[in-house]
Amino acid sequence: MSSSMRGVIAALLVCSSAVLACAQDGKLPADALITPGKIQFAADFAAAPNQFLKPDGSKDGLDVDMCGGVAAKMKLDIDWTNLSFPGLVPGLQGKRYDALCTAIFITPQRLEVMNMIPYVQWGEGLMVPAGTPLGIACPFKLGDDGSYSACFDKLAGRTVAVAAAGTTNKNLKAQSDRMAAKGLASIDIRAFDTNSDAIQALESGQADAAYLNDPQAHFYMTAHPGKYRMAFENNKANRLAIATLKDDLPLAVAIKAALDAMKADGSYQAIIRKWGLAEVSDFSLAAAP
């Protein structure tokens, strides 16, 4: 563990009791929010089903429901900033908004700069055209990351679309590098700004497959039945988190308390069922390993 992370964890232990008291009372320090009485979340609204814009321009998705519930429990108004994923963390560091409520996984690097409160989990998978043999009979085993290597080997020399800034791109590149190291052709990775762009690359024939988060792929396939299938899924199952800056620990603890209250009254489970995702066992603030 790095010295910086030891400092973060020590700060959590020192601060948590006093802050938790504030959160349990539904009160935040006066300077906890950019605008008193309003919590400002940011998200990339090109990431259905987490968050997306409907044809009439209104916002919808898992995170709209979940963080809407969080704001309601905190008795706060809510405001959203729609920003492409690569700009979300820099914008948080620039204090353009209070927190991120988007499709962002917990990683050690992100935990160095943000408090991350896990609230749902999902994996990654490969979406392919329904008629292609690509990925058929791939012998993966759920929960066993190593069993997916044979799945990726089938992609040697193939073109795969992916979102540039997401964890999916990092994991896909790691598999391509592993394949090259053992003498296979690497994957021709085509990285795009958003998952929607990656799907459109598959739709237009620019790519043989798209590597996505499972719920995003299933959401698209539900809207376009019969065109695509999942060659494999649930690779690198991980948790998504709501995030605040490290300096905004009181806000992070208050968000956790709101999620706890939603689980206690059943509204959390109702949102999970609505969007077809998996619960997390608890909402404890994550710490770097």
Side-chain angles (χ1 to χ4, degrees):
M1 181 186 302
S2 69
S3 59
S4 61
M5 282 311 305
R6 283 195 293 271
V8 168
I9 293 173
L12 282 169
L13 294 173
V14 169
C15 296
S16 59
S17 296
V19 171
L20 185 58
C22 293
Q24 288 172 336
D25 289 343
K27 299 176 182 176
L28 286 169
D31 60 351
L33 298 170
I34 296 171
T35 303
K38 177 190 293 184
I39 185 165
Q40 299 182 49
F41 285 112
D44 180 352
F45 275 84
N50 273 69
Q51 60 279 324
F52 57 96
L53 299 177
K54 295 196 290 188
D56 65 2
S58 60
K59 297 178 174 64
D60 199 1
L62 161 73
D63 287 327
V64 174
D65 289 348
M66 190 69 76
C67 285
V70 166
K73 288 295 182 188
M74 296 169 72
K75 296 181 172 55
L76 295 171
D77 293 332
I78 185 171
D79 192 23
W80 287 97
T81 295
N82 180 9
L83 196 62
S84 182
F85 191 89
L88 288 175
V89 174
L92 183 66
Q93 292 174 306
K95 300 193 176 182
R96 291 180 55 191
Y97 27 78
D98 299 302
L100 303 182
C101 185
T102 190
I104 186 167
F105 285 127
I106 298 171
T107 68
Q109 293 78 19
R110 289 168 180 162
L111 287 170
E112 293 284 347
V113 297
M114 297 185 289
N115 307 301
M116 304 193 79
I117 310 109
Y119 67 103
V120 70
Q121 63 179 345
W122 67 21
E124 302 170 357
L126 191 77
M127 189 172 80
V128 298
T132 182
L134 188 63
I136 287 180
C138 170
F140 66 90
K141 181 180 178 182
L142 298 182
D144 179 0
D145 288 351
S147 72
Y148 286 83
S149 294
C151 303
F152 287 99
D153 287 354
K154 292 176 179 290
L155 301 175
R158 297 284 192 159
T159 301
V160 179
V162 68
T167 308
T168 47
N169 189 18
K170 176 183 174 184
N171 292 334
L172 186 63
K173 186 175 186 310
Q175 288 289 343
S176 182
D177 291 345
R178 176 193 58 78
M179 292 159 56
K182 72 174 194 177
L184 293 174
S186 53
I187 301 169
D188 179 13
I189 298 173
R190 302 286 176 87
F192 296 86
D193 286 345
T194 68
N195 283 297
S196 296
D197 292 339
I199 291 172
Q200 286 306 311
L202 177 61
E203 182 83 24
S204 66
Q206 298 178 55
D208 299 305
Y211 189 62
L212 306 164
N213 296 309
D214 295 330
Q216 292 168 333
H218 281 286
F219 182 78
Y220 187 82
M221 289 190 297
T222 298
H224 302 80
K227 293 190 66 175
Y228 299 97
R229 63 178 177 80
M230 296 302 289
F232 60 85
E233 54 192 334
N234 272 317
N235 183 43
K236 296 285 185 184
N238 200 347
R239 298 171 297 168
L240 299 181
I242 301 170
T244 74
L245 282 178
K246 281 298 181 189
D247 290 345
D248 290 336
L249 182 61
L251 179 58
V253 176
I255 290 171
K256 177 191 179 306
L259 288 167
D260 284 334
M262 292 172 66
K263 181 168 275 193
D265 69 15
S267 56
Y268 168 78
Q269 294 86 341
I271 294 169
I272 291 293
R273 287 194 297 272
K274 175 181 176 181
W275 294 103
L277 302 175
E279 298 183 25
V280 294
S281 57
D282 64 70
F283 306 115
S284 298
L285 270 63

